[in-house]
Amino acid sequence: MAIAFRLRTSSICLRICALLAVLAPLSPGHGGNYVPGGGTNPGPGDTLPAPPPGAGGPTAFGPTTPTGPGPSSPGAGPSVPGAPSTPQGGPTSPGAPGATGPATPDLSEVDTSSWELWWHYEQHRWLDVRAAYARSRVLTGSDEFFLGRGGSDVSDRVEPSRQRLATELVPMLIETLRTTSSPDVASSALIALAKARAAASSAGVDVAPHIAAQLAHGNVEISETAAVALGMLGAQSDCELLASLVRGDVAALRERTGSKFDTRLAPRTRAFAAYGVAAAAAELDGYRQLVLANVLRDVARAEIDTRGPDEVIAACVFALAFTRLPDAPPTERFGSNDPGKLFHAGNQLEFLISLAETPRLDESIRATAVAGIARVGARLQRTGTARAWLTERWCEWLTSRTTERGVRRAAVAASPQLAGGVLEQDRKLFAALITVAESIADSATRTRAFVALGEASGAGRFDADADEALAFLIAAVGKGSSALRPWAALGLGLQQRLRRARELPTSNEAVTELSLALRETRSAYTAGAFALALGLCGDGAATEGVVAQLERMAEPGARGYFCLSLGLLGAGGERQRIAELARGASAQPALLSQAALALGLLGDRREVASLSEMFASSSNSTTHAGLATALGLLGDARAIEPLLKIAGDTQRSSLMRAFAVVALGGIAEDRALPWNAALTAGTDYLVRLPTLVSPLDGRGVLDVL
């Protein structure tokens, strides 16, 4: 699978894909083109209830009446002049700045059966590498030790200070946005500036105007990045602007920003603004969430009624589920009629159910609605009749022969969010997922059911004397088909990791079965999955078997997963081995990135410091690709100075500068996990929404780092 790094800019991603395709990845991927159709037509809305006393803020964030041109004909999509294509021979660099946006690869050309694609999108929730690295100790013999700032039992602060970020990084990013002509660098700088929000705020710097100034940029990639970056700030004051972007209200945008917008806002930019709402929602006050929820509902409904672009509709539906409205009555059974205005979570569910059960809507919209139902439904009182009703309905979606493929796959991916209720409901959910894993013909749905079952049964309630999920996963690892065993192993790893975190009993049999499978396999693809599953289990007894495979297998991709497994297992005795692999992997970005993360998990600060030097001294793009995201995730302050020099050096290539900016943005991130990790959980990464997920060119929101 030629996927290893999440970078915002399409040209960076395409070049990385081209590089990785040459490096014999564990599983193959193919390129193709898909240009979404649809027009723009912001929809009408009604007046919202007045804000509660003291709530402050706007009553509806401006009008919701149509302000743009009429809808395009069904199925017709906007032309994409200057858009690059990805021919069968491999990806190419995108068009010149100013093009209205690149074509998006068709997911039918992606190897959807590969567990590596799943891990690509899910890994941050399970690694949490920054927290592990921050908890680590200074190594005896390190510079910090000799300078008297640490010791074998003294913690050393590696996180950068907000003051340093505010005085060095933020001004550089603002100046870069003002002066650069490279879409690569500009897009990376926008995301990095949004990630540096806490540092900027502490210094009294308002970065929102600098981001908003890029909304009217002639290059859609830059304007859409600005839209989601605005949401990443999570600021109450930006809600009106986000609402105007979602509506496509050009007149309001001109008035609020002073920029010269075209007469019509690109659908992709509107969709990215909706995803920005999803990113911001958890940090907004209750009233603004209520207002934005109704904006999203009204725009989605208006676009449906006027045959607007599916990308905008689905993005609004996706974001709606992230707005948290007042709790729904616990005894209510929700219907499938659109309630009109949204006042509480029950109204959200009714609207989402109405979309999921409207056959004329595109499957991507209905699948997105199903995922939203799980997100909102997870907030229902766990012992109420409404939650029991939803579980029954959910199991029907999972197992019914009439459920469409995309809808069922979305239900499978979102299932873990409904686990953790009462024992009987969880057992029904587990049984439904087992049915999918055993009998559904679609391979992408069937394989995803194994990891969904593992996560759900790890987070939910179970009977230790009749643990059907554990027994099923162990049997599938030992006796399943070659295509299913890696998925069963990863499901087992997730289950054991979650139960260990909850201080529940874990299974020695699970570790024994996984260790046996790893020892006997000769496939690099399956060995990587088995090793990763053992790492997730967290049982140090598995270390010897992983090391044995690391010594035996030479395939770089598999060796990267072995390193990551050792990091998860806390195998401190293997630091030197992993460090040597990293130093020798300058032309193997997948191995280099995984080894760097493993060193972070093991708390090897001396070697992590050497990785920054490796980035700065190399002129090899594969080295920069392998290290950019790893350095950002680790968040080590010592990397700031060399990365700042590269990012600000206009004599360097745009590609190298953009990689440096990506790493700096990661270091400045104030969230525990990457900003879009919350959006990834429970999301079907195979849904045909190029603005949400686009693994071959990295232009979806879930592909952004």
Side-chain angles (χ1 to χ4, degrees):
M1 179 63 60
I3 300 166
F5 305 95
R6 297 182 186 182
L7 301 171
R8 173 67 202 109
T9 53
S10 64
S11 58
I12 290 177
C13 289
L14 287 170
R15 292 171 196 174
I16 289 174
C17 289
L19 290 167
L20 295 184
V22 177
L23 298 176
L26 295 185
S27 57
H30 305 282
N33 290 321
Y34 170 69
V35 181
T40 56
N41 185 38
D46 301 315
T47 304
L48 285 173
T59 57
F61 296 158
T64 55
T65 53
T67 58
S72 60
S73 59
S79 61
V80 193
S85 61
T86 308
Q88 293 295 329
T92 61
S93 296
T100 59
T104 307
D106 187 344
L107 280 177
S108 66
E109 298 296 333
V110 176
D111 182 4
T112 58
S113 66
S114 171
W115 64 264
E116 294 179 85
L117 182 61
W118 167 82
W119 181 249
H120 170 69
Y121 288 109
E122 294 281 351
Q123 60 181 314
H124 299 296
R125 293 199 295 135
W126 305 108
L127 291 179
D128 197 8
V129 65
R130 177 171 295 192
Y133 187 56
R135 289 192 300 266
S136 64
R137 305 289 182 177
V138 178
L139 294 176
T140 301
S142 69
D143 293 340
E144 292 89 344
F145 179 82
F146 285 121
L147 290 172
R149 295 197 295 267
S152 59
D153 60 351
V154 180
S155 293
D156 174 56
R157 180 179 176 83
V158 296
E159 298 92 340
S161 70
R162 289 186 178 180
Q163 180 181 2
R164 183 180 184 188
L165 293 171
T167 57
E168 298 180 31
L169 175 60
V170 172
M172 185 277 291
L173 293 173
I174 292 173
E175 180 64 13
T176 297
L177 280 177
R178 189 183 68 83
T179 59
T180 187
S181 60
S182 165
D184 291 350
V185 176
S187 295
S188 297
L190 282 165
I191 295 298
L193 193 58
K195 290 180 177 181
R197 58 183 189 159
S201 177
S202 68
V205 178
D206 184 5
V207 299
H210 300 284
I211 293 174
Q214 304 298 318
L215 290 169
H217 200 286
N219 185 302
V220 169
E221 183 177 317
I222 294 175
S223 66
E224 68 193 25
T225 304
V228 77
L230 198 67
M232 289 169 61
L233 295 176
Q236 316 286 342
S237 57
D238 296 327
C239 291
E240 289 192 50
L241 188 52
L242 282 170
S244 296
L245 286 165
V246 172
R247 293 191 191 97
D249 188 344
V250 173
L253 291 170
R254 289 170 178 163
E255 180 181 350
R256 291 189 173 105
T257 66
S259 299
K260 296 181 180 179
F261 285 83
D262 291 337
T263 56
R264 170 177 165 178
L265 198 63
R268 283 188 62 96
T269 300
R270 295 176 63 198
F272 268 71
Y275 297 130
V277 172
E283 299 178 73
L284 301 177
D285 62 44
Y287 177 66
R288 284 181 173 81
Q289 290 197 60
L290 176 65
V291 172
L292 285 172
N294 279 278
V295 169
L296 293 165
R297 179 263 167 210
D298 291 347
V299 171
R301 173 51 62 192
E303 296 290 359
I304 289 170
D305 292 344
T306 56
R307 293 175 171 263
D310 291 340
E311 285 287 326
V312 173
I313 299 168
C316 288
V317 172
F318 181 89
L320 175 61
F322 286 87
T323 58
R324 184 155 193 155
L325 303 190
D327 291 341
T331 58
E332 188 170 342
R333 287 174 177 261
F334 304 107
S336 58
N337 295 320
D338 183 349
K341 286 298 159 191
L342 309 181
F343 295 95
H344 57 69
N347 300 145
Q348 278 179 298
L349 280 174
E350 288 176 330
F351 178 63
L352 292 169
I353 292 170
S354 74
L355 298 183
E357 298 189 345
T358 302
R360 68 182 178 86
L361 294 179
D362 187 81
E363 186 181 88
S364 64
I365 298 171
R366 287 181 283 116
T368 304
V370 166
I373 291 167
R375 288 192 177 94
V376 178
R379 304 170 198 152
L380 294 173
Q381 183 175 314
R382 296 184 184 276
T383 57
T385 55
R387 182 64 176 267
W389 169 84
L390 181 58
T391 300
E392 293 285 347
R393 189 64 172 276
W394 198 262
C395 291
E396 290 178 13
W397 270 324
L398 288 173
T399 60
S400 173
R401 293 184 178 181
T402 61
T403 303
E404 291 180 276
R405 181 173 59 180
V407 173
R408 192 195 316 275
R409 196 173 59 233
V412 167
S415 289
Q417 299 186 76
L418 295 177
V422 299
L423 176 61
E424 189 58 33
Q425 292 174 24
D426 281 355
R427 293 185 70 174
K428 289 180 180 179
L429 181 64
F430 304 160
L433 287 169
I434 289 173
T435 297
V436 174
E438 286 182 323
S439 60
I440 295 300
D442 178 59
S443 62
T445 305
R446 190 178 182 187
T447 52
R448 183 67 185 263
F450 283 93
V451 289
L453 174 64
E455 184 177 354
S457 58
R461 298 177 180 273
F462 64 97
D463 183 348
D465 296 325
D467 194 344
E468 296 93 345
L470 175 62
F472 176 77
L473 291 171
I474 288 177
V477 169
K479 301 178 181 178
S481 69
S482 59
L484 298 179
R485 292 180 73 204
W487 290 92
L490 291 165
L492 194 56
L494 295 184
Q495 181 197 70
Q496 296 302 298
R497 179 181 177 86
L498 287 168
R499 291 182 178 179
R500 183 183 295 271
R502 297 168 62 197
E503 299 183 349
L504 297 174
T506 54
S507 169
N508 292 330
E509 185 183 357
V511 175
T512 299
E513 191 66 46
L514 288 169
S515 297
L516 177 63
L518 176 62
R519 184 169 66 248
E520 292 181 346
T521 187
R522 295 296 180 266
S523 162
Y525 174 75
T526 56
F530 294 153
L532 189 56
L534 283 167
L536 291 168
C537 287
D539 188 334
T543 299
E544 183 179 350
V546 176
V547 170
Q549 279 286 32
L550 178 59
E551 292 175 340
R552 191 183 70 168
M553 284 195 175
E555 203 286 323
R559 299 188 104 193
Y561 290 116
F562 298 152
C563 289
L564 202 55
S565 175
L566 293 172
L568 288 166
L569 290 169
E574 301 302 322
R575 285 192 183 100
Q576 187 60 35
R577 185 194 304 270
I578 297 171
E580 290 174 358
L581 284 171
R583 288 193 292 269
S586 60
Q588 298 168 335
L591 172 56
L592 178 56
S593 178
Q594 305 283 32
L597 292 177
L599 291 170
L601 289 168
L602 294 173
D604 194 332
R605 300 187 179 184
R606 183 170 51 221
E607 289 297 340
V608 168
S610 71
L611 296 176
S612 301
E613 298 170 5
M614 186 177 180
F615 186 102
S617 62
S618 176
S619 59
N620 190 331
S621 295
T622 58
T623 301
H624 302 148
L627 289 176
T629 53
L631 289 173
L633 288 170
L634 292 169
D636 194 317
R638 293 170 298 176
I640 294 177
E641 184 175 352
L643 291 171
L644 279 172
K645 289 180 180 178
I646 296 169
D649 185 355
T650 56
Q651 299 304 308
R652 303 267 192 171
S653 70
S654 295
L655 188 60
M656 185 175 185
R657 291 178 65 205
F659 277 131
V661 171
V662 167
L664 286 164
I667 292 170
E669 178 94 68
D670 64 308
R671 300 169 178 85
L673 297 176
W675 71 274
N676 53 8
L679 308 188
T680 304
T683 296
D684 174 23
Y685 52 81
L686 297 180
V687 65
R688 292 180 180 274
L689 290 175
T691 53
L692 179 63
V693 54
S694 188
L696 288 183
D697 70 356
R699 293 203 63 212
V701 163
L702 300 188
D703 303 296
V704 177
L705 257 188

